[in-house]
Amino acid sequence: MAWSGESYDRVLHLDSDITIIKHVDELFLLPNTPVAMMRDYGALPNKKVLGSNLILLQPSGEESDRLAGASRSDVRQEEDTEADILNRFYGDSAMVLPHQTYGLRSGEFRATEHRYFIGNTFEHWNPEKVLSEASLVHFIDEPFPKPWVMWPHALYAQEHPKCNDTIYSSGHKKVCISFPYKGTCANDKIHADFVETDKDPETA
């Protein structure tokens, strides 16, 4: 458990389906706080909860023991996820990080409604600006599987966005088509492929 690493002043936990596209060193310069997390904007408006895909924490043996105890099968509720447990511990006290910078979901580029990501109803969706301001991308994009799982090209062709001039810019189409396909192949090259290519996966 990350909390047990007491030889470190701070630990940054990232889910395995996250790709870093810019350095995030600035997180280690934040004011001291036991835990920093983001709001799970994908759960809005039904739930206002923290997401567990990125956690900046200060290791503590005592805290590690408390979390381990709460995670035991005879203590936790059957349907509890890691995020549920963390929300019970830190939902009212965690430092909240901006999800626009550290919580961008890959599926946001196929969505038609962006107010919960943007945080208001008056700003316009600008995919190139969103990507330029993001430090990482979290692969959540149903029905596409996680980036380490290949899927049939037919599914890709069926599910990629049907962009049009009234809703999306040409940049949006390039982004949303390139990203899921390239993401399955090489996580360390996603950023270049994401912004530089709009080739059809059938011919790439």
Side-chain angles (χ1 to χ4, degrees), residues 2-3 11-21 24 27 36-38 40 50-57 81-84 86 102-105 136-140 146-148 187:
W3 270 267
V11 171
L12 180 63
H13 160 86
L14 298 172
D15 276 0
S16 58
D17 56 353
I18 281 178
T19 292
I20 297 175
I21 54 180
V24 292
L27 290 173
M37 301 169 69
M38 292 170 295
D40 180 2
L50 301 172
S52 61
N53 52 300
L54 181 151
I55 308 169
L56 180 70
L57 60 97
T81 65
E82 174 189 81
D84 292 327
L86 291 172
Y102 305 109
L104 173 62
R105 295 179 172 212
L136 54 82
V137 177
H138 189 197
F139 281 84
I140 300 181
K146 293 300 184 181
W148 50 83
N187 276 359

Side-chain angles (χ1 to χ4, degrees), residues 122-153:
F122 55 85
E123 289 185 60
H124 294 293
W125 168 249
N126 183 331
E128 293 177 344
K129 179 175 182 287
V130 165
L131 182 60
S132 71
E133 295 176 351
S135 293
L136 54 82
V137 177
H138 189 197
F139 281 84
I140 300 181
D141 193 8
E142 295 291 344
F144 290 112
K146 293 300 184 181
W148 50 83
V149 179
M150 287 297 292
W151 64 83
H153 285 167

Side-chain angles (χ1 to χ4, degrees), residues 5 16 24 49 103 112 120 179 201:
S16 58
V24 292
V49 294
T112 57
N120 60 60
F179 196 42

Side-chain angles (χ1 to χ4, degrees), residues 147-163:
W148 50 83
V149 179
M150 287 297 292
W151 64 83
H153 285 167
L155 173 62
Y156 177 87
Q158 173 185 326
E159 295 294 339
H160 79 66
K162 308 300 187 290
C163 302

